[in-house]
Amino acid sequence: MSEATARALRRDAAANRERLFAAAGELFAERGLDVTLNDIAHHAGVGVGTAYRRFANKEEIIDALFEQRLQDVAAVAHAALAEPDAWRGIVTFLERALDMQFGDRGLNQIMNNAGLGHARVAEVRDRIAPLIVSLVERAKQQGVVRPDLDQTDLIFTQVALSAIMDSTRAIAPELYRRYLTIFLDGIRTERATFTPLPTGPLSADETHQAMTRKRTRSPRAR
């Protein structure tokens, strides 16, 4: 095999890998992590055999996407830290990070599914948590948040709002923003008024529908 042929094959292999990577990101964002490597290959327009030559299994693609998404979240945190106003920094970080999760079901599952492994959780802790610590400490130094606020409060808020996203996406997709606003009002100091909530609450029936939509109905309930 000539060197030129070898280079062409390497370029083709790299291009196929990128097509598979992009297709996986699109499918995970739209449908979550339940798609198969065959689904990804078909969406990318490449043969299934080509997909298995580039990635041994779907988990390898998930790992690669996780690394990319982790870099995206870190970039959001760095941008928030570059904001001179510490309060604006916290709001920017939460809004943008949650918006990323809302638009990407795969990211939501990767970041919150305990079944995907402790190593990923540890990586988030090691790379993202220090940035959130800096956001919170700076906000406390500027006196714009309650003094007992902890970086873990922001993490658990994201976890809670992710659950709201998942439960209400088909009923009221903007509902999580209501609870983000309530949380932000709850941590801010020296406010004279409450921020208008961006959307109304669900009705009792809608809440029941959101909370039970994933549960299997018993024969008696039918």
Side-chain angles (χ1 to χ4, degrees):
M1 180 186 298
S2 69
E3 184 178 346
T5 301
R7 284 199 301 269
L9 289 174
R10 286 196 294 271
R11 285 196 299 270
D12 287 344
N16 284 334
R17 182 182 175 87
E18 287 305 311
R19 278 196 288 270
L20 288 163
F21 195 68
E26 291 172 3
L27 288 179
F28 289 156
E30 179 183 348
R31 292 160 50 184
L33 301 183
D34 291 335
V35 299
T36 67
L37 192 54
N38 288 8
D39 294 330
I40 294 168
H42 293 150
H43 192 67
V46 304
V48 174
T50 298
Y52 279 97
R53 284 194 293 273
R54 303 283 74 80
F55 297 99
N57 49 51
K58 184 178 70 176
E59 284 64 38
E60 284 193 3
I61 299 182
I62 290 175
D63 285 337
L65 280 173
F66 175 78
E67 173 61 28
Q68 183 187 72
R69 299 302 192 264
L70 204 59
Q71 291 177 7
D72 292 342
V73 174
V76 168
H78 282 296
L81 283 168
E83 168 64 53
D85 183 328
W87 173 253
R88 189 68 247 160
I90 282 184
V91 173
T92 296
F93 172 74
L94 288 172
E95 287 181 342
R96 291 184 60 187
L98 288 165
D99 187 62
M100 288 168 58
Q101 287 181 255
F102 180 77
D104 189 334
R105 292 180 62 191
L107 172 62
N108 205 354
Q109 292 182 22
I110 287 170
M111 300 299 280
N112 294 296
N113 188 338
L116 290 175
H118 294 289
R120 291 195 183 100
V121 176
E123 193 168 358
V124 173
R125 177 196 63 207
D126 294 342
R127 292 173 59 179
I128 304 300
L131 301 174
I132 300 178
V133 168
S134 296
L135 282 170
V136 171
E137 290 305 312
R138 190 178 63 141
K140 289 198 286 190
Q141 290 170 6
Q142 290 189 14
V144 294
V145 297
R146 51 190 301 160
D148 55 355
L149 183 69
D150 189 82
Q151 62 97 5
T152 58
D153 295 323
L154 269 63
I155 293 171
F156 280 115
T157 296
Q158 291 180 80
V159 171
L161 293 177
S162 293
I164 294 173
M165 286 180 190
D166 190 50
S167 296
T168 64
R169 185 184 298 268
I171 301 168
E174 296 293 309
L175 187 69
Y176 77 93
R177 297 183 183 278
R178 173 184 177 88
Y179 297 99
L180 173 60
T181 301
I182 290 173
F183 168 77
L184 291 172
D185 274 345
I187 66 171
R188 191 172 189 178
T189 57
E190 299 179 0
R191 66 173 186 273
T193 60
F194 291 101
T195 305
L197 296 176
T199 187
L202 294 184
S203 68
D205 287 343
E206 288 172 330
T207 299
H208 178 75
Q209 182 182 348
M211 298 299 291
T212 60
R213 69 184 184 87
K214 287 189 174 180
R215 295 181 181 272
T216 303
R217 296 180 66 187
S218 65
R220 290 182 181 179
R222 292 178 182 151

